[in-house]
Amino acid sequence: MTDFKVDLDAYFARIGFDGPRTPALDVLTRIILLHQRAITFENLNSFAGLPVVIDPATIENKIIHDGRGGYCHEQNQYLRLVLKALGFDARLRMARVRWMQPPEAMPQRGHMTLNVAVKGIWYLSDVAFGAMTPTAPLRLDTPEEQATPHQTYRVVPIGDALHLEVKLGDNWRPVYSFDSVDYYPVDFEAANWQVSTYPASEFVRNLVVARPTADRRQILNNTLLSIRHPDGAVEKQTLSNVVELRSTLTTMFGIRLPADIKIDHALEGLFQTEGRS
């Protein structure tokens, strides 16, 4: 879809951005934060057995006009189109997810992220990793700590890859790793199909929803709701029924739930004794 033209007016209205439309660092920084606070990371489609279509027009309709969110292959691809329309040099990267993985693991490439250049300096710019998405662009030319409105991160070179790490308490935790190879939307078609349909995929087996607010992160894993505060404190609550779950998705996470029987059944299944775990 080379003739697709992103609807900047609708996108900026969706995220509440009214600043200049120039390829400047403060613009990139503001967009990344506002995007994540407005457009939730969620995998309702894959969890419910619905297709995840990643052509730009479908993505735009879903996350801009239908009041939905999405995962990396949707949100970061759309962000790239927005940034390119503003004049940024924005390049897709395919990362290996290392979050919650043992140190010796070699996960496959699958996460879509972005490298964006501003005045010759490259920044990691991601809006859709989930619970630990950086809420600010991160310089790629330094291993030093970089603060964001939520957690502190660093980008460390190890071998021929850059490793994103997040500081939780006094410990650094791996998030994902990537290299300097340029990828294109077509390169993610197979990865998206696997993530959204493979029976053992995390996004097929589990409901995963995340959105930061001004002062905390909100994370939902199936029926477990977690609130992570800036001081590191974490509150946890198990939702008790599907009515509470639907209310949480619509109010706390701002998702406009579609009238779809597959989504209804998937949400109800979380409270059945033989439901998915």
Side-chain angles (χ1 to χ4, degrees):
M1 298 195 62
T2 56
D3 58 345
F4 178 81
K5 184 178 180 181
V6 66
D7 189 340
L8 287 177
D9 291 340
Y11 172 72
F12 287 141
R14 174 83 161 94
I15 70 170
F17 177 82
D18 59 1
R21 300 186 180 188
T22 56
L25 181 58
D26 60 337
V27 172
L28 176 64
T29 301
R30 191 69 179 149
I31 286 173
I32 286 177
L33 179 61
L34 289 177
H35 180 119
Q36 292 185 56
R37 288 175 59 180
I39 303 175
T40 297
F41 180 95
E42 53 104 333
N43 70 320
L44 276 167
N45 277 32
S46 58
F47 181 64
L50 296 169
V52 179
V53 181
I54 57 172
D55 72 84
T58 300
I59 296 170
E60 182 172 82
N61 191 60
K62 180 184 178 188
I63 69 174
I64 304 303
H65 303 298
D66 287 350
R68 290 284 304 281
Y71 59 42
C72 64
H73 296 154
E74 300 165 283
Q75 294 201 44
N76 281 331
Q77 182 177 174
Y78 192 78
L79 177 64
R80 172 178 173 266
L81 297 173
V82 168
L83 296 178
K84 287 175 70 67
L86 296 178
F88 287 96
D89 184 355
R91 304 187 184 186
L92 293 173
R93 295 290 183 264
M94 191 179 288
R96 301 184 189 275
V97 176
R98 299 183 182 277
W99 179 248
M100 305 297 288
Q101 297 286 330
E104 68 277 6
M106 178 53 71
Q108 68 184 41
R109 298 179 190 272
H111 174 61
M112 177 191 286
T113 187
L114 288 173
N115 286 359
V116 180
V118 181
K119 294 184 177 180
I121 298 174
W122 287 93
Y123 295 82
L124 177 65
S125 302
D126 193 339
V127 292
F129 181 73
M132 284 298 135
T133 311
T135 50
L138 302 173
R139 290 182 65 138
L140 298 178
D141 61 351
T142 175
E144 298 300 316
E145 296 184 9
Q146 301 183 60
T148 76
H150 294 81
Q151 277 75 38
T152 296
Y153 293 81
R154 65 185 182 187
V155 182
V156 181
I158 302 176
D160 59 357
L162 293 174
H163 287 242
L164 176 65
E165 299 179 348
V166 62
K167 192 173 188 180
L168 297 178
D170 295 326
N171 300 314
W172 288 99
R173 299 274 301 278
V175 181
Y176 57 75
S177 62
F178 57 97
D179 56 27
S180 59
V181 175
D182 287 340
Y183 288 88
Y184 301 90
V186 67
D187 296 319
F188 292 89
E189 290 287 347
N192 177 66
W193 178 82
Q194 182 176 22
V195 166
S196 64
T197 65
Y198 183 51
S201 167
E202 177 75 10
F203 290 162
V204 172
R205 296 177 62 247
N206 298 291
L207 177 64
V208 184
V209 186
R211 185 170 77 156
T213 68
D215 60 354
R216 64 186 189 179
R217 288 189 185 270
Q218 304 171 156
I219 305 137
L220 180 67
N221 286 289
N222 293 323
T223 61
L224 179 62
L225 176 65
S226 301
I227 307 297
R228 182 178 291 275
H229 296 278
D231 62 2
V234 180
E235 302 173 38
K236 294 188 177 184
Q237 173 193 353
T238 299
L239 305 181
S240 58
N241 56 61
V242 72
V243 173
E244 187 177 20
L245 172 60
R246 293 177 70 93
S247 175
T248 298
L249 291 171
T250 57
T251 58
M252 182 174 288
F253 292 98
I255 298 171
R256 189 190 307 162
L257 289 173
D260 190 287
I261 194 164
K262 286 191 173 182
I263 289 179
D264 293 343
H265 285 171
L267 297 181
E268 292 163 1
L270 288 170
F271 298 93
Q272 297 172 359
T273 56
E274 295 182 6
R276 283 177 279 193
S277 60

